[in-house]
mmCIF file of all heavy atoms in Angstrom:
data_model
loop_
_atom_site.group_PDB
_atom_site.id
_atom_site.type_symbol
_atom_site.label_atom_id
_atom_site.label_comp_id
_atom_site.label_asym_id
_atom_site.label_seq_id
_atom_site.Cartn_x
_atom_site.Cartn_y
_atom_site.Cartn_z
ATOM 1 N N SER A 254 17.863 8.832 3.996
ATOM 2 C CA SER A 254 17.898 9.841 5.052
ATOM 3 C C SER A 254 16.808 10.890 4.838
ATOM 4 O O SER A 254 16.431 11.601 5.765
ATOM 5 C CB SER A 254 19.271 10.519 5.097
ATOM 6 O OG SER A 254 19.576 11.122 3.846
ATOM 7 N N GLY A 255 16.315 10.971 3.605
ATOM 8 C CA GLY A 255 15.258 11.931 3.299
ATOM 9 C C GLY A 255 13.861 11.386 3.507
ATOM 10 O O GLY A 255 12.874 12.067 3.253
ATOM 11 N N LEU A 256 13.768 10.129 3.981
ATOM 12 C CA LEU A 256 12.470 9.504 4.214
ATOM 13 C C LEU A 256 12.297 9.237 5.699
ATOM 14 O O LEU A 256 12.953 8.375 6.274
ATOM 15 C CB LEU A 256 12.346 8.188 3.442
ATOM 16 C CG LEU A 256 11.038 7.408 3.622
ATOM 17 C CD1 LEU A 256 9.859 8.211 3.094
ATOM 18 C CD2 LEU A 256 11.124 6.043 2.951
ATOM 19 N N LYS A 257 11.396 9.973 6.313
ATOM 20 C CA LYS A 257 11.129 9.809 7.734
ATOM 21 C C LYS A 257 10.001 8.789 7.931
ATOM 22 O O LYS A 257 9.183 8.576 7.044
ATOM 23 C CB LYS A 257 10.735 11.145 8.365
ATOM 24 C CG LYS A 257 11.796 12.218 8.232
ATOM 25 C CD LYS A 257 11.298 13.552 8.775
ATOM 26 C CE LYS A 257 12.339 14.639 8.568
ATOM 27 N NZ LYS A 257 11.853 15.967 9.052
ATOM 28 N N ALA A 258 9.990 8.187 9.126
ATOM 29 C CA ALA A 258 8.963 7.182 9.423
ATOM 30 C C ALA A 258 7.564 7.759 9.308
ATOM 31 O O ALA A 258 6.616 7.072 8.911
ATOM 32 C CB ALA A 258 9.186 6.615 10.828
ATOM 33 N N ASN A 259 7.410 9.055 9.629
ATOM 34 C CA ASN A 259 6.075 9.662 9.577
ATOM 35 C C ASN A 259 5.713 10.165 8.187
ATOM 36 O O ASN A 259 4.751 10.896 8.017
ATOM 37 C CB ASN A 259 5.950 10.791 10.601
ATOM 38 C CG ASN A 259 6.924 11.936 10.355
ATOM 39 O OD1 ASN A 259 7.592 11.992 9.332
ATOM 40 N ND2 ASN A 259 7.001 12.854 11.298
ATOM 41 N N GLU A 260 6.506 9.769 7.185
ATOM 42 C CA GLU A 260 6.184 10.113 5.805
ATOM 43 C C GLU A 260 5.734 8.886 5.017
ATOM 44 O O GLU A 260 5.645 8.905 3.798
ATOM 45 C CB GLU A 260 7.395 10.762 5.127
ATOM 46 C CG GLU A 260 7.748 12.128 5.695
ATOM 47 C CD GLU A 260 8.984 12.742 5.081
ATOM 48 O OE1 GLU A 260 9.939 12.003 4.784
ATOM 49 O OE2 GLU A 260 9.000 13.970 4.896
ATOM 50 N N ILE A 261 5.439 7.797 5.736
ATOM 51 C CA ILE A 261 4.977 6.553 5.122
ATOM 52 C C ILE A 261 3.546 6.295 5.568
ATOM 53 O O ILE A 261 3.263 6.145 6.759
ATOM 54 C CB ILE A 261 5.870 5.363 5.519
ATOM 55 C CG1 ILE A 261 7.324 5.621 5.092
ATOM 56 C CG2 ILE A 261 5.345 4.071 4.894
ATOM 57 C CD1 ILE A 261 8.283 4.547 5.557
ATOM 58 N N GLY A 262 2.618 6.268 4.616
ATOM 59 C CA GLY A 262 1.224 5.971 4.918
ATOM 60 C C GLY A 262 0.915 4.517 4.623
ATOM 61 O O GLY A 262 1.566 3.886 3.795
ATOM 62 N N TYR A 263 -0.094 3.968 5.300
ATOM 63 C CA TYR A 263 -0.407 2.545 5.170
ATOM 64 C C TYR A 263 -1.911 2.324 5.119
ATOM 65 O O TYR A 263 -2.656 2.837 5.960
ATOM 66 C CB TYR A 263 0.193 1.789 6.363
ATOM 67 C CG TYR A 263 -0.115 0.313 6.416
ATOM 68 C CD1 TYR A 263 0.046 -0.500 5.298
ATOM 69 C CD2 TYR A 263 -0.536 -0.284 7.606
ATOM 70 C CE1 TYR A 263 -0.213 -1.856 5.354
ATOM 71 C CE2 TYR A 263 -0.801 -1.643 7.676
ATOM 72 C CZ TYR A 263 -0.639 -2.428 6.548
ATOM 73 O OH TYR A 263 -0.903 -3.773 6.603
ATOM 74 N N LEU A 264 -2.357 1.585 4.114
ATOM 75 C CA LEU A 264 -3.751 1.160 4.007
ATOM 76 C C LEU A 264 -3.767 -0.358 4.153
ATOM 77 O O LEU A 264 -3.396 -1.070 3.225
ATOM 78 C CB LEU A 264 -4.347 1.598 2.671
ATOM 79 C CG LEU A 264 -5.886 1.506 2.510
ATOM 80 C CD1 LEU A 264 -6.334 2.333 1.311
ATOM 81 C CD2 LEU A 264 -6.367 0.075 2.340
ATOM 82 N N PRO A 265 -4.170 -0.871 5.327
ATOM 83 C CA PRO A 265 -4.155 -2.319 5.558
ATOM 84 C C PRO A 265 -5.395 -3.010 5.002
ATOM 85 O O PRO A 265 -6.365 -2.361 4.617
ATOM 86 C CB PRO A 265 -4.142 -2.411 7.090
ATOM 87 C CG PRO A 265 -4.949 -1.208 7.504
ATOM 88 C CD PRO A 265 -4.618 -0.121 6.501
ATOM 89 N N GLN A 266 -5.350 -4.335 4.976
ATOM 90 C CA GLN A 266 -6.570 -5.084 4.695
ATOM 91 C C GLN A 266 -7.516 -4.894 5.869
ATOM 92 O O GLN A 266 -7.103 -4.901 7.022
ATOM 93 C CB GLN A 266 -6.259 -6.578 4.536
ATOM 94 C CG GLN A 266 -5.502 -6.924 3.280
ATOM 95 C CD GLN A 266 -5.453 -8.429 3.051
ATOM 96 O OE1 GLN A 266 -6.490 -9.093 3.064
ATOM 97 N NE2 GLN A 266 -4.271 -8.962 2.860
ATOM 98 N N GLN A 267 -8.793 -4.738 5.563
ATOM 99 C CA GLN A 267 -9.776 -4.531 6.623
ATOM 100 C C GLN A 267 -10.273 -5.850 7.202
ATOM 101 O O GLN A 267 -10.477 -6.824 6.480
ATOM 102 C CB GLN A 267 -10.977 -3.752 6.081
ATOM 103 C CG GLN A 267 -10.748 -2.275 5.914
ATOM 104 C CD GLN A 267 -12.066 -1.530 5.899
ATOM 105 O OE1 GLN A 267 -12.604 -1.173 6.940
ATOM 106 N NE2 GLN A 267 -12.581 -1.286 4.716
ATOM 107 N N THR A 268 -10.496 -5.828 8.502
ATOM 108 C CA THR A 268 -11.143 -6.950 9.174
ATOM 109 C C THR A 268 -12.617 -6.584 9.378
ATOM 110 O O THR A 268 -12.981 -5.405 9.315
ATOM 111 C CB THR A 268 -10.509 -7.211 10.552
ATOM 112 O OG1 THR A 268 -10.755 -6.077 11.403
ATOM 113 C CG2 THR A 268 -9.000 -7.419 10.426
ATOM 114 N N PRO A 269 -13.485 -7.565 9.628
ATOM 115 C CA PRO A 269 -14.903 -7.257 9.889
ATOM 116 C C PRO A 269 -15.092 -6.264 11.035
ATOM 117 O O PRO A 269 -15.981 -5.416 10.990
ATOM 118 C CB PRO A 269 -15.491 -8.629 10.223
ATOM 119 C CG PRO A 269 -14.638 -9.589 9.463
ATOM 120 C CD PRO A 269 -13.250 -9.017 9.537
ATOM 121 N N VAL A 270 -14.250 -6.357 12.062
ATOM 122 C CA VAL A 270 -14.363 -5.446 13.203
ATOM 123 C C VAL A 270 -14.053 -4.016 12.766
ATOM 124 O O VAL A 270 -14.750 -3.062 13.141
ATOM 125 C CB VAL A 270 -13.405 -5.874 14.336
ATOM 126 C CG1 VAL A 270 -13.375 -4.803 15.436
ATOM 127 C CG2 VAL A 270 -13.843 -7.206 14.924
ATOM 128 N N GLN A 271 -13.014 -3.840 11.937
ATOM 129 C CA GLN A 271 -12.648 -2.501 11.469
ATOM 130 C C GLN A 271 -13.744 -1.897 10.599
ATOM 131 O O GLN A 271 -13.993 -0.693 10.655
ATOM 132 C CB GLN A 271 -11.324 -2.575 10.696
ATOM 133 C CG GLN A 271 -10.127 -2.861 11.581
ATOM 134 C CD GLN A 271 -8.882 -3.200 10.795
ATOM 135 O OE1 GLN A 271 -8.958 -3.777 9.712
ATOM 136 N NE2 GLN A 271 -7.727 -2.847 11.328
ATOM 137 N N LYS A 272 -14.401 -2.721 9.792
ATOM 138 C CA LYS A 272 -15.467 -2.222 8.928
ATOM 139 C C LYS A 272 -16.651 -1.692 9.723
ATOM 140 O O LYS A 272 -17.431 -0.883 9.229
ATOM 141 C CB LYS A 272 -15.948 -3.336 7.980
ATOM 142 C CG LYS A 272 -14.926 -3.707 6.906
ATOM 143 C CD LYS A 272 -15.464 -4.786 5.989
ATOM 144 C CE LYS A 272 -14.447 -5.141 4.920
ATOM 145 N NZ LYS A 272 -14.959 -6.183 4.003
#
Side-chain angles (χ1 to χ4, degrees):
S254 58
L256 179 63
K257 301 175 183 178
N259 62 9
E260 293 177 323
I261 301 175
Y263 177 48
L264 193 164
Q266 290 191 52
Q267 283 202 86
T268 65
V270 172
Q271 290 169 328
K272 290 181 180 181

